[in-house]
Amino acid sequence: MSALLRPVLLLLLLLGLSSASVCRFQIPPHDQVAQVARFIAHHCNWASMATISTHKPVVGQPFSNVFSFSDGPPGTSSGVPYMYLTRMEISVQDLEVNPEASLSMSLAQTDYCRQQGFDPQSPLCAHIILSGSVIQVNGTEADFAKKALFSRHPEMIDWPTDHDWFFAKFNITQVWVLDYFGGIKTVTPEDYFQAPPHRKY
Ligand SMILES: *[C@@H]1O[C@H](CO)[C@@H](O)[C@H](O)[C@H]1NC(C)=O
Ligand SMILES: *[C@@H]1O[C@H](CO)[C@@H](O)[C@H](O)[C@H]1NC(C)=O
């Protein structure tokens, strides 16, 4: 780290410590990378999902769009981002051609970064990027997806039935974590799913 950055980092740490007590929740320590990722995936309610576009004039180019998701009802984190989708939707049409996608979520969506004074692009405003693909879920997994989504996005219950909504999950192949200085860190799906979603006291 450069000598220039060190005092800035110290200041940020001091600010973080002094305001930690007013924060609604405590994120896991930044070196518990898998745990941080699970924490973010449970506390965010929406994500930006990039697909490879099939629509003119941007065929073949990345296309990022907002989706509501849930990894479980509050306090019941599965780590799996579930979504409620319709084939009428532009990005879902991309997924029908190529189900590979990237899902990005950030604590900037919560009060945390604002309260701590962290800019959304700062790694201290912890955010993750999931690589993988989107697949439809059925049976008992769809039952869980419904509970996970409808408890946190109650408006979904009234979305128009003629849109043929279905439940899907983001099948994670790689987790990328930005929660501190020093560059991005990666977590395997195995480590991600084994990590507890909350800070241990
Ligand atoms: C769920 O059902 C759909 C439609 O029948 C099917 O295309 C899909 O492969 C199934 N998904 C899984 C994970 O079994
Ligand atoms: C889901 O992800 C796993 C890796 O976590 C991968 O081995 C598997 O092929 C993926 N399944 C689908 C249907 O993409």
Side-chain angles (χ1 to χ4, degrees):
M1 189 187 314
S2 78
L4 199 64
L5 266 178
R6 227 172 281 137
V8 175
L9 174 57
L10 187 65
L11 183 66
L12 285 172
L13 284 174
L14 288 174
L15 286 172
L17 286 177
S18 62
S19 50
S21 52
V22 298
C23 186
R24 192 165 50 85
F25 53 56
Q26 295 235 298
I27 83 168
H30 67 82
D31 56 344
Q32 302 296 307
V33 185
Q35 210 178 322
V36 170
R38 287 292 304 272
F39 183 88
I40 296 170
H42 187 58
H43 280 90
C44 290
N45 287 316
W46 59 271
S48 173
M49 180 165 67
T51 53
I52 303 298
S53 183
T54 55
H55 293 89
K56 281 180 192 159
V58 292
V59 174
Q61 294 181 26
F63 189 83
S64 178
N65 191 357
V66 168
F67 286 88
S68 296
F69 80 92
S70 167
D71 85 329
T76 313
S77 162
S78 69
V80 179
Y82 289 103
M83 293 181 282
Y84 195 41
L85 304 175
T86 164
R87 292 187 171 82
M88 297 169 79
E89 208 281 328
I90 185 167
S91 301
V92 178
Q93 290 168 359
D94 295 341
L95 294 171
E96 297 218 272
V97 176
N98 182 350
E100 289 174 330
S102 167
L103 207 58
S104 180
M105 46 187 88
S106 166
L107 290 185
Q109 298 164 17
T110 68
D111 293 335
Y112 174 75
C113 299
R114 235 181 335 269
Q115 285 177 352
Q116 304 282 324
F118 296 154
D119 187 87
Q121 196 174 320
S122 166
L124 296 177
C125 180
H127 44 291
I128 58 174
I129 298 132
L130 305 176
S131 299
S133 60
V134 177
I135 49 186
Q136 183 170 354
V137 293
N138 308 306
T140 53
E141 192 170 13
D143 294 342
F144 180 80
K146 185 175 180 175
K147 262 188 235 127
L149 285 156
F150 286 14
S151 60
R152 291 173 66 169
H153 303 276
E155 189 194 297
M156 285 179 173
I157 297 163
D158 298 318
W159 285 359
T161 49
D162 63 354
H163 284 29
D164 291 325
W165 298 95
F166 63 94
F167 294 100
K169 71 171 168 188
F170 195 86
N171 188 44
I172 301 169
T173 56
Q174 176 83 297
V175 180
W176 309 78
V177 182
L178 280 157
D179 68 345
Y180 203 66
F181 304 108
I184 201 156
K185 283 161 281 189
T186 56
V187 176
T188 63
E190 293 71 28
D191 290 344
Y192 170 83
F193 285 114
Q194 271 166 26
H198 299 288
R199 189 190 178 106
K200 282 192 189 144
Y201 292 98

